Amino acid sequence: MSHVFHRNPKMDLPTAVGGQGMELIDSNGKRYIDASGGAAVSSLGHGHPRVIKAIQDQVAQLAYAHTSFFTTQVSEDLADLLAAAAPGDLNHVYFVSGGSEAVEAALKLARQYFVEIGQPQRRHMIARRQSYHGNTLGALAIGGNAWRREPFLPLLVQAHHVSPCFAYRERLDGETDSAYAQRLADELEAKILELGPDTVAAFVAETVVGATAGAVPPVADYFKRIRAVCDKYGVLLILDEVMSGMGRTGYLFACEEDGVVPDLVTIAKGLGGGYQPIGATLCTDRIYDAIVGGSGFFQHGHTYIGHATACAAALAVQQTIVDDGLLDNVRARGEQLRGELRAALGDHPNVGDIRGRGLFVGVELVADRATKATLDPARKTHAKFKARAKDNGLLLYPMGGTVDGVRGDHVLLAPPFIASPADIGRIVDRFAQTLNDVLPR
Ligand SMILES: Cc1ncc(COP(=O)(O)O)c(C=O)c1O
């Protein structure tokens, strides 16, 4: 019996013993193409020599120094790199150890900002249905994933939810992108007015929705209109790029493509690429100055924030993305992946939608393409898809509840940025084989 409390104790898991580039290897010698980077984490693939060396060098020099006593050069260098890359004046980087912590820090920073500037009545957080922001209680509370929230509802602080921007499912027949974006911005405005404009602190959204709905990008101008509503009422915009950030969409910050600058942005998975646990929350000058010029102290913190070894890994990952021109590859391979998936399965009766940005791709599975009717949730098609793909030597990140937390199935692909054209071809072949195994035509 295993003494590890696995997340799904009844599941028989192979033992991972190695990783090379696009592949993970188990103790039986079986090789798997890592087409989802775990949960969109492994942006550089596995065993990258530059990152390994950076970690080894840092550990040999200094593994950890508590941030209430010291700063470290490596955390300063990483923050400089991120601040320079981030849009607008997102110049201040608060390091944490993962995505949920980044979201918690963003929520608390937003709240403290309003306390500092003399608007302590601002307490409401508005987020979207069909979103995921993490599993700690604050992040879970603002998340809109009904299934994940349900058992913990009595413990969750109050949060408010509006519609996601989910064109395939929720745009009306004949509605233009622009009319759809405006309808959603109007809905947010109505929610702010309902709660009382001077009581709302922040609106939180994933720039591109990840795990809950499967790589759903917003329609054009959606975030510009959302930004305008937030600005009108002094509400902060928090973009969660834990999954979509750090190059996954072909941009280091996914919101660059949407032409907006949030007040706070969270990043994690692709920041350290899986080599170390690390996340960060970036904020603008206005927020930072309010804290520094006010109480002078952000009332938050964890033991491992700004961990030197984690920062060294993340710095090497981010430098490699720039030095190796990997964002161009993400865009090109992303186009190829969507194009080849459409060619191979676009006419499959159970493929409803193929979507995404860069190497962040979702395939939504349906019972009927014309009506978009979902497969029976009791069939757990997503789970079968994951297991079958694994048998076929392909790691994917499928989920159920795409539509409302219960109905719907999708498969998320998030291969490493180092993928070659041939790698993408192999992923599509194994994906098509898995689809035909699970849902024969
Ligand atoms: C958008 C988003 N935010 C937050 C999180 C939580 O990150 P973590 O699992 O590192 O705590 C996730 C994880 O999937 C995510 O996709």
Side-chain angles (χ1 to χ4, degrees):
M1 186 193 85
S2 168
H3 292 284
V4 176
F5 194 155
H6 291 287
R7 64 169 67 201
N8 188 346
K10 289 189 181 157
M11 221 159 117
D12 212 7
L13 294 172
T15 302
V17 294
Q20 282 171 3
M22 296 287 294
E23 292 185 330
L24 281 170
I25 305 149
D26 74 17
S27 53
N28 296 319
K30 179 166 173 158
R31 302 179 85 94
Y32 307 80
I33 305 177
D34 190 2
S36 64
V41 175
S42 301
S43 50
L44 290 190
H46 303 278
H48 199 291
R50 181 171 175 181
V51 186
I52 293 171
K53 172 140 192 351
I55 293 170
Q56 287 171 337
D57 289 351
Q58 184 62 49
V59 168
Q61 197 194 333
L62 168 76
Y64 167 76
H66 195 279
T67 47
S68 72
F69 299 93
F70 295 102
T71 186
T72 53
Q73 193 54 50
V74 70
S75 67
E76 298 291 339
D77 292 346
L78 178 59
D80 288 350
L81 181 149
L82 293 172
D89 64 342
L90 287 160
N91 288 326
H92 311 278
V93 185
Y94 189 85
F95 288 117
V96 291
S97 303
S100 303
E101 279 188 15
V103 171
E104 297 288 337
L107 297 175
K108 287 179 79 174
L109 198 42
R111 167 67 190 160
Q112 193 179 327
Y113 165 76
F114 286 116
V115 173
E116 301 277 2
I117 66 166
Q119 298 185 26
Q121 77 284 0
R122 287 200 189 255
R123 61 189 183 282
H124 291 304
M125 300 288 171
I126 305 176
R128 306 189 298 182
R129 288 187 282 107
Q130 290 307 91
S131 60
Y132 180 57
H133 296 294
N135 263 334
T136 51
L137 290 175
L140 191 63
I142 57 153
N145 185 312
W147 171 78
R148 294 192 200 245
R149 287 166 53 94
E150 214 272 328
F152 305 102
L153 281 175
L155 305 185
L156 302 183
V157 294
Q158 189 187 36
H160 308 273
H161 294 99
V162 293
S163 300
C165 185
F166 193 173
Y168 173 68
R169 285 277 165 198
E170 301 199 3
R171 185 171 50 195
L172 303 174
D173 279 347
E175 194 175 36
T176 61
D177 278 359
S178 141
Y180 180 43
Q182 191 54 47
R183 177 160 66 83
L184 295 173
D186 291 345
E187 183 186 339
L188 175 62
E189 182 165 15
K191 178 58 82 180
I192 292 171
L193 291 171
E194 174 197 320
L195 294 169
D198 68 339
T199 68
V200 180
F203 175 64
V204 191
E206 290 166 84
T207 310
V208 178
V209 180
T212 304
V216 182
V219 298
D221 277 1
Y222 167 77
F223 274 115
K224 283 195 183 137
R225 289 170 203 255
I226 291 291
R227 176 80 264 186
V229 171
C230 290
D231 288 345
K232 185 169 170 189
Y233 296 103
V235 171
L236 297 177
L237 175 61
I238 302 176
L239 289 183
D240 182 349
E241 301 201 351
V242 164
M243 199 179 250
S244 60
M246 296 295 95
R248 178 58 51 205
T249 64
Y251 294 80
L252 275 187
F253 290 84
C255 58
E256 292 172 66
E257 200 170 341
D258 300 284
V260 292
V261 182
D263 301 287
L264 296 129
V265 64
T266 57
I267 52 177
K269 297 170 187 278
L271 178 57
Y275 288 89
Q276 288 286 297
I278 183 167
T281 303
L282 278 74
C283 74
T284 58
D285 291 342
R286 174 166 65 117
I287 294 176
Y288 180 77
D289 291 346
I291 309 276
V292 174
S295 66
F297 174 66
F298 178 31
Q299 203 174 324
H300 188 58
H302 303 283
T303 300
Y304 290 125
I305 61 177
H307 195 285
T309 313
C311 288
L315 184 61
V317 169
Q318 297 312 313
Q319 287 170 336
T320 302
I321 289 172
V322 174
D323 294 350
D324 294 1
L326 290 179
L327 293 182
D328 290 341
N329 195 52
V330 170
R331 286 182 217 141
R333 298 287 75 76
E335 287 294 326
Q336 182 194 348
L337 178 56
R338 279 187 297 280
E340 292 189 9
L341 284 170
R342 284 195 184 109
L345 5 138
D347 65 344
H348 190 288
N350 298 112
V351 172
D353 193 27
I354 297 171
R355 56 186 173 238
R357 282 184 183 175
L359 282 174
F360 198 29
V361 174
V363 177
E364 187 165 336
L365 303 174
V366 292
D368 182 319
R369 288 157 62 102
T371 63
K372 303 182 185 174
T374 58
L375 294 155
D376 179 359
R379 286 173 65 182
K380 292 201 182 303
T381 306
H382 58 95
K384 288 187 186 134
F385 209 100
K386 182 172 178 177
R388 190 65 195 209
K390 204 167 159 195
D391 290 346
N392 291 337
L394 184 67
L395 301 177
L396 296 168
Y397 190 14
M399 281 288 279
T402 316
V403 179
D404 55 9
V406 179
R407 293 176 306 125
D409 296 87
H410 67 262
V411 183
L412 191 71
L413 297 102
F417 306 171
I418 54 166
S420 68
D423 292 327
I424 298 295
R426 289 198 302 152
I427 290 170
V428 173
D429 287 348
R430 290 188 195 183
F431 192 106
Q433 181 192 341
T434 305
L435 180 65
N436 288 321
D437 292 344
V438 177
L439 295 163
R441 281 176 195 256

